[in-house]
Structures are given as structure tokens and as C-alpha cells.
Amino acid sequence: MLKQINLKKKAEWQDYDDRMAHLRIQMGELQRKCKELGIPVTIVFEGFEAAGKGTMINKMIQPLDPRGFQVYTMEKEYEEDMRHPYLWRYHIKMPARGRIHIFDHSWYQGLGDGRLTPEEVRLYEKQFTDDGMVLIKFFLGITKKEQKKRLEALDKDKSTSWRVTRKDWEKNKDYDMWMERFDKMIVQTDTPNAPWTIIEAMDKKYAICKIMTTVAGCLVDAIGRKEKGAVRTEYAEPPLTDDLLSGVLQGVDLSLDLEPEEYKERKKVLQKKLGILHNEMYLKRVPVILAFEGWDAGGKGGAIKRITQSIDPRGYEVVPVASPNDIEKAHHYLWRFWERFPKDGHMAIFDRTWYGRVLVERIEGFATEQEWRRAYAEINNMEAHLVNSGAVVLKFWMHIDKEEQAERFRQRQETPEKQWKITDEDWRNREKWEEYEKAVDEMIVRTSTKEAPWHIIEANSKLHARIRVMEIVVDALEKALKKIK
Amino acid sequence: MLKQINLKKKAEWQDYDDRMAHLRIQMGELQRKCKELGIPVTIVFEGFEAAGKGTMINKMIQPLDPRGFQVYTMEKEYEEDMRHPYLWRYHIKMPARGRIHIFDHSWYQGLGDGRLTPEEVRLYEKQFTDDGMVLIKFFLGITKKEQKKRLEALDKDKSTSWRVTRKDWEKNKDYDMWMERFDKMIVQTDTPNAPWTIIEAMDKKYAICKIMTTVAGCLVDAIGRKEKGAVRTEYAEPPLTDDLLSGVLQGVDLSLDLEPEEYKERKKVLQKKLGILHNEMYLKRVPVILAFEGWDAGGKGGAIKRITQSIDPRGYEVVPVASPNDIEKAHHYLWRFWERFPKDGHMAIFDRTWYGRVLVERIEGFATEQEWRRAYAEINNMEAHLVNSGAVVLKFWMHIDKEEQAERFRQRQETPEKQWKITDEDWRNREKWEEYEKAVDEMIVRTSTKEAPWHIIEANSKLHARIRVMEIVVDALEKALKKIK
């Protein structure tokens, strides 16, 4: 694809200046319109070394209102980046609705060095474009000869010579090999929802004009679709048959219990082990994510407390998840969770999770059916990425029955220092028990993957539940650490 | 102070368990009350190595609602930290109103290694306590013998031995020297608004009980004051006499102009220089902060554009400052600016700044008189810190007269693609011209420091103004780079 392109195209329009003047005004207008309509825009710049990415980005942003865009230079990875799952550094920088974020180098570096597969890249991009993002990808091409010429010019100039490294010269020598690789990269990731635009960058005037025309075209298109209320037609998973769905929760044995004596003993042993394992995972730099979901009053808090009691607070964080704030709402729904994923050696314990998308958001109608149906695959992909990056991911569903919940609600209301824990919302949710049951069933079936299966905890007995959770955590940490040794 | 303390105190209360049970319930209640009243709480833990900071923090947070607190481990500095002004890593982690942030190690490390003076620490803390923060500082003390014992125990245990480094053993050997240093540190920074509490940490039960009792006491106290609407009596600068204030803006020669021909020529030369200097400051890792203030339509945007046109977008960011969002509002007013201060080698251009506190917030009554009066010193301290950390800080006031503003407003309204730039608010602000004039006068007098003086730009002529700004930037960068060579 790239190989067939004539990189030497020139700006031969007689009305070049007029075109550019018009484009500049248009860009400002389109930016305001996108802001108004809440369309997030991501523009990726990749290309050959010295193809002029910096210059092009600078020219492109001049007509934009600085309140609405941001440029990210992603070539260098910092320690914080390297201590997180690979996509973390990109995900947290994704634009909120109405903003334009420009990436100089992007996740395609990860495709280049094998940390991502083409399939992962396509799915990564799809979740955003499905969510309404305009994703524009530019590849800037120059010839081998031109690249050499530019490197020499940079090298000669005292103020820029430090920028030219041996690696750059090597890349020039290996130009043909790089051409092959880039070509393949483009072919593999040129999708209808996020196509590549190749920019012939020998002539700077031609290049900037093509870039701005492309951006303007994409935005006009997106604005038109949004104003018409058109929804992208996307893949929606068929609902499972009722047979397949029912029974996941029905089969849970809620009679399991534990004597207080035995509980105390086992807790002591498990907490000691946990403390030791937590030190080891810190030392070996394993990131751990514990995700707690469950019925209201299902005992999430109590189980979490039994874990944190014995471990060093400098190595864990409890992340309580409530309804998203305004900034979070303006982003892709997974953004706020990516923000909190732990760096290696640390543990993040989520009290409620990204599964809110297919539970409360589904039931309360905060997400459309298309949105929550899409979420199963998006979540599976995300969790697979976390696990493949070396994280331990454990998901718990704290399961109680309706009677037990009623009893616990009553207790909370009768204990003065616990009254604040029970709200009208809890009672309203309770009325939707059957709906939730169906949603939980489907969630467990659809998102129990080999990378991150669900653990359903029989939680009518708090004592039993806490011990089970700790056992599972201890077991998983031991296994993960064994793999490293 | 520390030296006179008997570190061997023990928990000899017979009712220890009851006390603790009560404290735990009380802590939860106080946290909820602080949240309700919007009181930000910062708790600092410093102390001897192996004094048990981690254990104490963990015990203290158990009764807290994880939705409202956060623990920060600050011992290790990351590359991002080191590339920012020293206080940056702390400032951006300061709690929003209603939250509790706990620091394991803090800015006292900077006092220890000479990056901060005691005076700077006191002023740094004062700005927060003046703003209503409860700042609790714990120092955990153990004896030399006990420290040795604990290090030996950690060293013996396979899962913790990696934690004990040669440095720790050295610190134990030099215990007396450290005792002297810590004692001095505490004496120098024990202020009425942010006093130290020394925790005798030989006996863990005694230590945690004293910590929790102290926290509870401070919170009860703060809640009481807040509920009574009591305001801390704080230092308020006397207003300047009218003599001293008037005339700063009056003396500006607004007749200065430039011929278009000359403008073009000089712009070209200056932009070329800027491009080169920007590369050099990137290479030499100098951070640059340009702060633009001025009358509406004073030409801030145009001046900024002439600077950014010639420099690499990967090395600068334009930060437009509008009214703060909810999250920003919940923090100290300087917090949102600290968040955007550039790392070394980068340039941040602020289109409006922290001076909003003494301009729009003063005039519209968003800040009380005490608040905006306090701000002059707070801002001077902040800027001095930035400059002393190696940053170039340039502040511009874009000055036009009232007639010129009227003319520019008219032009904007008549040009279709500029109409969005002019709002009702601009007209309202214009009616308050004289009030603003007074506020600007006072701002310039009070915050023209040797570290960061104001540059008043005669901006009735856009061409003249742009060239002046570029000249000042070029000049300052040249000087800063010369100093490094």
C-alpha cells in the first residue's frame, strides 16, 4: 500500500494560499462544532524518521483554539509507563468528548516491537470509534535520498545536531526494510472505522494541505452524521438463549458456612501468607488487580478489609467506584478504570468495577443496548491485555440471596454507625433483583475468560465468604510468583 | 524537642480495646463530617527508619471509607518528579476539600537535603492551612537499639530482607547525627498552624492509639471551627496608599507603533532565533513558563501565536485558563496551575494565569478580601520556587486603552469567523474597566519581584506588541542558556 505511493507529489495548485487560508478558517469552525456536539477526535502521526511530523503538527494546530486540543509526544517511554500495561500510557491520554488529541508516535510503536498484535490494535481502535471518536491516522513518507538529505541538514545545524542519533543513520541505511515493515503495518491496520492516510511528505506545502484537507473532510463527515443522529452500524452479539443464561447463580450453594473458631484460625494463617506474598509481588514487580462486584450488602467491603489488614498500605490502593464525575463521563467509559490500574508491584482493589456498564448502566438505561452489548468484548479485550502484560486479575461476585439482603439492610438500619451505609437507592435496586439476576448471569457467562474467570463467592455466610476470597487471592499470587521464579 | 522525649512510653490503659473500638467508630464519623463540610485533611508521616510508618498508616486507614482517602508513598523520586520543580510532586497530590491524603515521607525530604529552606516549608504549609486545610504531622521515634533490633528482624525474614539496605544500617550507626537533624527540623517547622506530634513508637499499641487520638482531636477541632464559621485570623497586607498604586499603567506609552515592513523583517529574525533557542533549552533541559495577562482583546492570543509558529510542538504547550472546573474548584486555587507546570526542556504558555485570583476573582467577589490579599505573597513564593528550581518565568501584561478595546470588540463583531470570540461577558468586564485598572496596578506593584518581574507590553499596536514580547522571550532565553554554559 505504502510502497505503491509516489512520494514526490508537489503542491501545484495555483490557488495554494487561498486554499490554505480557507482551510485555516474552516479548521477553527470545525473544532468549535465538534466541541459543541461532543465529538472526540484523535489524530495519529506516524512516519519515516525526519519526515517532518513536528513541522506538520505545528502547522496544523496553529488555527486551532488551544483550549480544545493537546499534543502528546509519545516516542520516549518513562519509567511510569513501563511499569504499567502497555496501552495504559495511551489510554489515559485519550480525548474527552469535544476535544482533539494529537499523538506524535502512538500505539503503533507497540505493534512495531511486538508488544501488540494487529488484531489487538484493531480492537483497541474499534472501541473508541464505536463510541463516536473520529480517529485519523497519518503516515508521512519520504524517499531514502530525501531522508538522508534531511538528516544531514539537521546534523549540520548546531542547534539540531544533537537530535540525529546513530540509530537514525541506521534507519536510513535500512530504509528498504523499514518500508516493508511500515507497509505491512498499514495494510494490517487499515480499517473502515480507522483508515490510514498516507502523506507524501517530500513537499511540505503539499503535505500540510493534504493533512488539513483530510482532517477537515473527516470532521465534516462526522459532524454530518452526528447531526443526523446516525449511529454507526456495529456488531452486536446475539442474546444468549434462556437455557444458556439461567442457572449460573441458581447453582450457587449458599448454605456454606464456617464456625467462628475455625474462621479466626484460618484468617490468621491466610493474612500472614498474604502479607508475605504481597511483599514478594512488590519485590518481583507483579501488578495485581482485584475486582469486586456483588449484591448490595453482599460483603464486598468486609472481604476487602480482611485483605488489606495484613498488607503494607504503600503497596495497595482501594478504588471505590461510584457514578462517574463530569470529566469521567466525558470520556470512554473504560477510561476512568485505566487511570487507576496499578503499576507493577502494586495492588489495586476495585470496590465495584467496569462491569457497572453491563449491570447498573444496562438496567438503568444509562447505556444503550448496543453499548452494553459491545462492552462484553471490550472488557474481555481489556482484561486480556492486562493479564498478558503480566498482571494478576481476579474477579469476585459476592453472592447472597434476597432474604439475606433484607436481613442485612435491616441490621444496617438498626446500628447507628452503619445507618449511613443504607440509602434509598439500595431499596430501589432491591426492587430490580430479578433484572439484575439476569444481567449478572449474562455477564458471568460472557466474561468468564481463560485470562480472567469469575469467582462466584457463596456469601450468605460472611465468614465463609471472606475466607474463600483470601484463599483465592493467596492461591493466585502463589501461582503467579511461581511462574516468575 | 525530639531529644527530650521518652520514646519508651507504653500503652498501659486497661481499657485499651474499648478505646480503640471507640476511636475506630469516631474516625469514620469524623471523616464523613469532614467530607460534608469540605475540610481537606493532610497527614504527614516522617520518622526514623523502621519506626513502623507503614504499619501505623495501615492501622489508621482501616476504619476510613476508601472513597475519601489516599495514601502516597513519596520516598522514591521518579524521573517525572525530578524533571519538575521540587514541590510539584507534592502539590499535585494535595487533597481536594473533604478528602484525606496521607503522605508516607513528604516535602521534609527536601528540607533534609537542602532543596528547601525551613522558611519555604513554613510558607508552603501556611498557604494550605490558611485555605482551611487540616495539616497533621507525625514524627515516629524509636531508640537506636530498637531500630537495630527491627532491622535485624526484617533482614532475617526472607520476604522482607530485600527491604533492608546498606543505607539503613548506616543510618542506624549514625543514629545520633540523625537525631540531631530531625530535632532541628522539628524545631524549625513546628508552627501553630501545622504543629508536629511526636509519636513514641517503641510500643505499637501506644503509637497507634496516640496517632488516632491526635487525628480525631484535630478533626473535632477543625469541624467545630468550621461549623461556627470561624475564620483563622491571618496576616492581611495593608492596602497600599493611593499614591503608591496609581500610575503604573498610566505611565505606559501606548503610542508606540511599528511599520508592517519592519514588523515582517524583525518577526522573521526573531522567530528564527526562537526556534533555535527552543531547541537549545530542550537540549539543556531548561523549563520555561510564559504567563500572559492583559485586557480582553489585548492581543494575548496573537502574541502567543507568533511565538508558537516557529517552535517544535513537541516542546511546548499552550494552557488556556478559563474558570475552574469542579475538581479544580475543590482544590487550593494554585493547584490547577501546578498541574500544568512544564517539565524541564519544555515550555508552557499560559493564556491567563494564577493572577486571576487578584483580578477577576477579586472583582467578582469569587475570593474574599483576605483570600486575594494573601494571594500576593503566595504567588510570589510559588514563582520564587519555580525560578530557584531553574525555570525561566516571564510575565506579560498586554496593555491597551479603553478606546482601542472598543475598536477591537467592534472589529470582532463584524468579522464572521471572529464573532465567537466576543461574548456578553467581555462587555460586562469592560464596564468594570476602572476597577480592573486599580487591581492591575496593585498586582503589578505587589508581584514584581526580582525573580519574576512583570513586563508591561504597550499593545495598542499589535505589531509593536508582538515584537516586544518576542524580544523579551529571546533575550531571557539567551541569558538563561548563557548561565548554563
Side-chain angles (χ1 to χ4, degrees):
Chain A
M1 188 166 174
L2 176 61
K3 289 190 288 185
Q4 282 81 47
I5 302 270
N6 169 22
L7 295 174
K8 297 182 183 167
K9 276 190 194 155
K10 280 199 160 196
E12 280 166 344
W13 308 287
Q14 303 220 320
D15 57 349
Y16 176 81
D17 288 343
D18 288 347
R19 268 176 195 248
M20 285 304 291
H22 175 70
L23 275 169
R24 273 190 288 263
I25 292 175
Q26 199 189 5
M27 286 284 275
E29 285 167 3
L30 291 170
Q31 183 190 12
R32 284 193 294 283
K33 199 81 196 167
C34 284
K35 188 180 166 196
E36 204 184 298
L37 293 170
I39 299 172
V41 181
T42 299
I43 306 176
V44 165
F45 281 85
E46 293 284 350
F48 281 101
E49 222 53 52
K53 289 192 288 289
T55 312
M56 290 303 134
I57 292 174
N58 206 19
K59 281 194 198 294
M60 196 191 78
I61 63 181
Q62 292 304 328
L64 298 177
D65 182 342
R67 277 165 297 196
F69 77 84
Q70 190 113 16
V71 178
Y72 294 100
T73 313
M74 303 302 294
E75 192 167 13
K76 184 181 163 175
E77 278 176 58
Y78 290 91
E79 190 183 345
E80 276 284 296
D81 298 329
M82 287 183 277
R83 296 189 62 179
H84 280 91
Y86 179 69
L87 286 168
W88 175 81
R89 62 193 301 251
Y90 300 106
H91 210 113
I92 60 171
K93 296 185 180 73
M94 283 301 190
R97 297 183 215 300
R99 291 185 57 83
I100 300 176
H101 284 193
I102 299 153
F103 289 85
D104 172 13
H105 288 90
S106 67
W107 47 91
Y108 282 93
Q109 296 179 108
L111 181 58
D113 60 25
R115 282 186 283 181
L116 294 176
T117 65
E119 172 74 0
E120 281 174 298
V121 169
R122 288 192 297 264
L123 289 171
Y124 185 68
E125 293 178 349
K126 184 175 181 297
Q127 70 182 318
F128 294 113
T129 55
D130 278 351
D131 193 45
M133 182 184 283
V134 179
L135 179 50
I136 304 170
K137 304 186 295 194
F138 290 118
F139 188 92
L140 274 60
I142 49 173
T143 62
K144 185 175 183 177
K145 212 168 121 189
E146 175 73 12
Q147 190 182 42
K148 197 173 166 215
K149 214 173 91 187
R150 291 191 188 178
L151 289 175
E152 279 166 355
L154 282 170
D155 199 33
K156 246 186 233 162
D157 185 332
K158 213 174 50 177
S159 86
T160 53
S161 62
W162 54 277
R163 283 197 183 177
V164 184
T165 63
R166 215 172 58 190
K167 253 194 191 160
D168 294 327
W169 292 115
E170 272 166 25
K171 279 185 181 167
N172 183 249
K173 231 184 58 195
D174 301 334
Y175 180 92
D176 293 342
M177 184 266 281
W178 282 98
M179 173 62 99
E180 288 290 340
R181 286 172 75 164
F182 287 142
D183 191 60
K184 196 171 154 196
M185 169 186 101
I186 290 171
V187 170
Q188 286 175 329
T189 56
D190 190 52
T191 56
N193 54 305
W196 280 99
T197 302
I198 293 166
I199 301 296
E200 301 84 346
M202 302 287 282
D203 181 68
K204 284 186 183 170
K205 281 183 166 184
Y206 178 84
I208 185 60
C209 194
K210 181 162 176 186
I211 286 170
M212 287 180 50
T213 309
T214 306
V215 173
C218 291
L219 298 188
V220 166
D221 182 48
I223 289 165
R225 267 187 289 119
K226 182 99 185 190
E227 279 180 336
K228 263 185 278 164
V231 178
R232 241 172 225 283
T233 44
E234 67 230 349
Y235 171 63
E237 281 179 86
L240 292 186
T241 62
D242 281 348
D243 270 8
L244 213 65
L245 280 179
S246 67
V248 179
L249 292 181
Q250 301 290 332
V252 181
D253 179 2
L254 288 176
S255 70
L256 289 170
D257 201 355
L258 211 55
E259 290 302 312
E261 287 286 295
E262 198 190 338
Y263 168 70
K264 266 195 194 163
E265 232 164 81
R266 287 172 69 180
K267 188 180 81 165
K268 207 173 146 190
V269 174
L270 284 165
Q271 285 193 332
K272 183 137 194 244
K273 274 194 196 172
L274 257 177
I276 294 171
L277 288 166
H278 186 250
N279 277 331
E280 271 190 68
M281 57 154 267
Y282 184 82
L283 182 62
K284 302 249 167 73
R285 298 211 159 170
V286 181
V288 179
I289 296 168
L290 307 185
F292 282 87
E293 287 287 352
W295 297 106
D296 287 331
K300 293 190 298 294
I304 292 172
K305 192 163 278 184
R306 296 325 175 280
I307 293 171
T308 60
Q309 270 169 353
S310 58
I311 63 181
D312 190 323
R314 295 169 289 198
Y316 79 84
E317 187 184 5
V318 176
V319 183
V321 175
S323 48
N325 66 32
D326 287 353
I327 293 171
E328 292 166 346
K329 261 186 220 151
H331 283 88
H332 187 264
Y333 73 98
L334 290 173
W335 179 80
R336 61 174 174 147
F337 303 103
W338 277 90
E339 280 240 305
R340 307 302 286 273
F341 286 145
K343 64 178 158 213
D344 60 23
H346 289 249
M347 180 187 278
I349 305 173
F350 288 85
D351 184 349
R352 300 209 180 280
T353 69
W354 41 98
Y355 284 98
R357 188 71 162 185
V358 296
L359 297 174
V360 57
E361 290 188 41
R362 164 182 178 169
I363 284 164
E364 300 293 339
F366 302 148
T368 66
E369 178 162 356
Q370 272 200 325
E371 283 172 338
W372 61 258
R373 287 216 170 275
R374 211 161 58 209
Y376 298 119
E378 289 165 346
I379 287 172
N380 287 343
N381 292 330
M382 179 180 82
E383 291 176 356
H385 181 69
L386 298 176
V387 172
N388 294 332
S389 298
V392 174
V393 178
L394 297 173
K395 307 186 298 200
F396 299 100
W397 175 260
M398 304 299 284
H399 192 54
I400 54 174
D401 59 32
K402 218 174 161 181
E403 293 70 44
E404 178 67 21
Q405 190 187 50
E407 177 55 28
R408 292 189 186 179
F409 278 11
R410 226 170 290 131
Q411 274 174 20
R412 284 186 176 181
Q413 271 181 326
E414 282 161 15
T415 317
E417 71 264 22
K418 285 192 178 172
Q419 275 164 9
W420 63 276
K421 274 185 157 186
I422 181 113
T423 65
D424 290 351
E425 213 189 315
D426 293 323
W427 291 104
R428 278 198 301 275
N429 287 342
R430 184 173 160 77
E431 279 166 29
K432 296 179 182 166
W433 183 281
E434 282 69 30
E435 275 178 80
Y436 270 102
E437 204 160 34
K438 208 176 128 196
V440 173
D441 262 341
E442 183 162 0
M443 169 186 88
I444 288 173
V445 170
R446 290 201 187 279
T447 60
S448 280
T449 58
K450 72 172 193 309
E451 285 91 358
W454 276 98
H455 298 278
I456 302 173
I457 304 298
E458 310 85 353
N460 261 15
S461 152
K462 287 184 185 177
L463 305 190
H464 169 80
R466 292 171 190 168
I467 295 294
R468 268 307 286 149
V469 168
M470 279 197 274
E471 277 176 350
I472 291 166
V473 175
V474 163
D475 191 49
L477 291 182
E478 277 175 349
K479 273 193 194 137
L481 288 165
K482 215 170 268 172
K483 262 199 244 159
I484 292 176
K485 271 175 203 162
Chain B
M1 189 165 174
L2 177 59
K3 288 190 288 185
Q4 281 82 47
I5 302 270
N6 169 21
L7 296 173
K8 297 182 183 166
K9 278 191 192 151
K10 279 201 160 195
E12 281 166 343
W13 308 287
Q14 302 222 321
D15 57 347
Y16 175 82
D17 287 344
D18 288 348
R19 267 176 195 248
M20 287 302 293
H22 175 70
L23 274 169
R24 274 190 287 263
I25 292 177
Q26 198 190 4
M27 287 283 276
E29 285 167 4
L30 290 170
Q31 183 191 13
R32 285 194 292 283
K33 198 80 196 170
C34 284
K35 188 181 167 197
E36 202 184 299
L37 293 171
I39 299 172
V41 180
T42 299
I43 305 176
V44 166
F45 281 85
E46 294 284 350
F48 281 100
E49 221 54 49
K53 290 193 288 291
T55 312
M56 290 303 134
I57 292 173
N58 207 20
K59 281 192 195 299
M60 196 190 76
I61 62 181
Q62 292 304 328
L64 297 177
D65 181 343
R67 277 166 295 195
F69 78 84
Q70 190 113 15
V71 178
Y72 294 102
T73 313
M74 303 303 293
E75 192 166 12
K76 185 180 164 178
E77 279 176 58
Y78 288 91
E79 190 183 345
E80 277 285 296
D81 298 328
M82 287 184 277
R83 295 189 64 178
H84 280 91
Y86 179 69
L87 286 169
W88 175 81
R89 62 195 301 251
Y90 300 107
H91 210 113
I92 59 172
K93 297 185 180 72
M94 283 302 189
R97 298 183 214 300
R99 290 186 56 83
I100 300 176
H101 284 193
I102 298 153
F103 289 86
D104 172 14
H105 287 91
S106 67
W107 46 91
Y108 283 93
Q109 295 179 109
L111 180 57
D113 61 25
R115 283 188 282 181
L116 294 176
T117 64
E119 172 73 2
E120 282 175 296
V121 169
R122 287 192 298 264
L123 289 170
Y124 185 68
E125 293 178 350
K126 184 174 180 299
Q127 69 182 319
F128 293 113
T129 54
D130 277 352
D131 194 44
M133 181 184 284
V134 178
L135 179 50
I136 304 169
K137 305 186 295 194
F138 290 118
F139 187 92
L140 273 59
I142 49 174
T143 62
K144 186 173 181 177
K145 213 169 122 189
E146 175 73 12
Q147 190 182 41
K148 198 175 166 211
K149 214 174 92 189
R150 291 193 188 177
L151 289 174
E152 279 166 356
L154 282 170
D155 198 34
K156 246 186 232 162
D157 185 332
K158 212 174 54 181
S159 86
T160 54
S161 62
W162 55 275
R163 283 196 180 178
V164 184
T165 63
R166 215 173 57 192
K167 257 196 188 156
D168 294 326
W169 292 114
E170 273 165 24
K171 280 185 182 167
N172 182 249
K173 229 184 61 195
D174 302 334
Y175 179 92
D176 294 341
M177 185 266 281
W178 282 99
M179 172 62 97
E180 286 291 339
R181 287 172 76 163
F182 286 142
D183 191 61
K184 196 171 154 195
M185 169 187 102
I186 290 172
V187 170
Q188 285 175 332
T189 56
D190 190 50
T191 56
N193 55 304
W196 280 99
T197 303
I198 294 168
I199 300 296
E200 300 84 346
M202 302 286 282
D203 181 67
K204 284 186 183 170
K205 280 185 167 182
Y206 178 85
I208 185 61
C209 193
K210 180 163 177 185
I211 287 171
M212 285 177 53
T213 309
T214 306
V215 172
C218 290
L219 298 187
V220 166
D221 183 48
I223 289 165
R225 268 187 288 119
K226 182 100 183 191
E227 280 181 335
K228 264 185 280 166
V231 178
R232 241 173 224 283
T233 45
E234 65 228 348
Y235 171 62
E237 282 180 83
L240 291 186
T241 63
D242 281 350
D243 270 8
L244 211 68
L245 280 179
S246 67
V248 179
L249 293 180
Q250 300 291 331
V252 181
D253 180 2
L254 288 175
S255 71
L256 290 170
D257 201 355
L258 211 56
E259 289 302 311
E261 287 286 295
E262 200 190 336
Y263 167 71
K264 267 195 193 163
E265 233 164 81
R266 288 172 69 182
K267 189 182 80 164
K268 208 174 144 190
V269 175
L270 284 165
Q271 285 192 333
K272 183 137 194 242
K273 274 195 194 171
L274 257 176
I276 294 172
L277 288 166
H278 186 249
N279 276 331
E280 271 189 68
M281 54 155 268
Y282 184 83
L283 182 60
K284 301 251 167 71
R285 298 210 160 172
V286 181
V288 179
I289 296 168
L290 307 184
F292 282 87
E293 286 287 351
W295 297 106
D296 287 332
K300 293 188 299 295
I304 292 171
K305 192 163 275 183
R306 293 332 174 276
I307 293 171
T308 60
Q309 269 169 353
S310 58
I311 61 181
D312 190 322
R314 294 168 289 197
Y316 79 83
E317 186 186 4
V318 176
V319 184
V321 175
S323 47
N325 66 32
D326 288 351
I327 292 170
E328 292 165 344
K329 261 186 221 149
H331 283 86
H332 187 263
Y333 72 99
L334 290 173
W335 178 80
R336 61 176 175 145
F337 303 103
W338 278 91
E339 280 240 305
R340 307 300 287 272
F341 286 145
K343 64 178 159 214
D344 61 24
H346 289 249
M347 182 186 278
I349 305 174
F350 288 86
D351 185 350
R352 299 209 181 279
T353 68
W354 42 98
Y355 284 99
R357 188 69 162 185
V358 296
L359 298 173
V360 58
E361 290 188 43
R362 164 183 177 168
I363 284 163
E364 300 293 339
F366 301 149
T368 65
E369 179 162 355
Q370 273 200 325
E371 282 172 339
W372 62 257
R373 287 214 171 277
R374 212 160 58 208
Y376 298 120
E378 289 164 347
I379 287 173
N380 287 343
N381 292 331
M382 177 180 83
E383 291 177 355
H385 181 70
L386 298 175
V387 171
N388 293 333
S389 298
V392 174
V393 178
L394 297 172
K395 306 186 298 199
F396 300 100
W397 174 260
M398 305 300 282
H399 192 55
I400 55 175
D401 59 32
K402 217 172 160 182
E403 293 70 46
E404 179 67 22
Q405 191 188 50
E407 177 55 29
R408 291 190 187 178
F409 278 11
R410 224 170 292 132
Q411 275 175 20
R412 285 186 176 180
Q413 272 182 326
E414 282 161 15
T415 317
E417 72 265 22
K418 286 192 177 171
Q419 275 164 7
W420 63 276
K421 274 185 157 188
I422 181 115
T423 65
D424 291 349
E425 210 188 317
D426 294 323
W427 291 104
R428 277 198 302 275
N429 287 342
R430 185 174 161 76
E431 279 166 28
K432 296 180 182 166
W433 183 279
E434 283 70 29
E435 275 178 82
Y436 269 102
E437 205 159 33
K438 209 176 127 197
V440 173
D441 262 343
E442 183 163 0
M443 168 187 89
I444 288 174
V445 170
R446 291 200 188 278
T447 60
S448 279
T449 57
K450 71 173 196 308
E451 284 91 358
W454 276 97
H455 298 278
I456 302 173
I457 304 297
E458 310 85 354
N460 260 15
S461 154
K462 287 184 185 177
L463 305 190
H464 169 79
R466 292 171 190 167
I467 295 296
R468 270 307 286 150
V469 168
M470 278 196 276
E471 278 176 351
I472 291 166
V473 175
V474 163
D475 192 49
L477 290 182
E478 278 176 350
K479 273 192 194 137
L481 288 165
K482 215 170 267 170
K483 262 198 245 161
I484 292 176
K485 269 175 202 158

